[in-house]
Amino acid sequence: AQKVTQAQTEISVVEKEDVTLDCVYETRDTTYYLFWYKQPPSGELVFLIRRNSFDEQNEISGRYSWNFQKSTSSFNFTITASQVVDSAVYFCALSETDSSASKIIFGSGTRLSIRP
Amino acid sequence: GAVVSQHPSRVICKSGTSVKIECRSLDFQATTMFWYRQFPKQSLMLMATSNEGSKATYEQGVEKDKFLINHASLTLSTLTVTSAHPEDSSFYICSARTSGFQETQYFGPGTRLLVL
């Protein structure tokens, strides 16, 4: 069965600090997608990244970076030089690639608070 | 990116009444849409998969007679909460899946339902 674990329920850091959000997943599929979404107080999900299971290259987008390691079934997300606007709930998610299903299973989320 | 809308964004109703929530893909056709429910400070839980022209597939524990899903066109899926009760108060989010190469899901902005 698929499962996504975000062990960190809440994280609070001071602005400009770097912060890493952990994500560990379980799946029996050899082909799958991993995602990160941001959910600000408004509630709308903001898509951040999608990673195919065959692509283990780390990705950097501005202050955001992602570390995908299949050996440890982890897909961690790092925010460098955090800002107050980064405060939100962040969800890691997993989906199968079977086109007839493609359900997205979400982790429990990590609430990130950036203090000025 | 693709846009998915939901209507209404917020609804308050009396216990025992039915509420219909619409999910529209504005600039693409979606043969498959998904409905999620999110209780306060919790993760998104998949309720059902809505398939255009056929019956929805419900996740375990979700009452299909209470949460009626209709996907009559390639751009519209509706979720009707029948005989709503206070415990149905939640944030309901839909997503629509594109088809073809690089298929992905786009999420709507969500609908906050409060049942009094």
Side-chain angles (χ1 to χ4, degrees), chain A residues 50-111:
Chain A
R50 180 178 77 168
R51 174 63 70 207
N52 183 294
S53 56
F54 293 115
D55 183 0
E56 285 194 73
Q57 279 191 328
N58 292 331
E59 173 124 357
I60 298 175
S61 176
R63 296 184 296 107
Y64 296 170
S65 63
W66 291 269
N67 185 293
F68 177 28
Q69 296 202 352
K70 289 181 76 171
S71 61
T72 56
S73 296
S74 65
F75 188 42
N76 296 337
F77 172 34
T78 298
I79 300 175
T80 303
S82 61
Q83 299 176 2
V84 173
V85 294
D86 296 327
S87 297
V89 180
Y90 290 84
F91 291 99
C92 179
L94 166 73
S95 81
E96 305 166 334
T97 56
D98 176 0
S99 60
S100 66
S102 294
K103 301 178 188 179
I104 294 181
I105 306 299
F106 286 83
S108 55
T110 297
R111 183 174 300 274

Side-chain angles (χ1 to χ4, degrees), chain A residues 10 33 35 37 39 41-45 47 50 91 95 97-109 111, chain B residues 4 32 34 36 38 41-46 49 51 57 59 91 93 95 97 102-105 107-110 112:
Chain A
E10 294 191 32
Y33 287 110
F35 304 81
Y37 289 91
Q39 187 177 43
S42 65
E44 185 165 358
L45 284 176
F47 169 81
R50 180 178 77 168
F91 291 99
S95 81
T97 56
D98 176 0
S99 60
S100 66
S102 294
K103 301 178 188 179
I104 294 181
I105 306 299
F106 286 83
S108 55
R111 183 174 300 274
Chain B
V4 175
T32 305
F34 301 87
Y36 295 83
Q38 184 181 30
K41 296 192 176 184
Q42 294 189 24
S43 186
L44 284 77
M45 300 301 296
L46 180 65
T49 302
N51 304 298
T57 304
E59 295 300 301
F91 190 50
I93 304 174
S95 71
R97 191 180 78 188
Q102 293 280 345
E103 67 169 49
T104 191
Q105 287 187 37
F107 285 84
R112 293 194 185 279

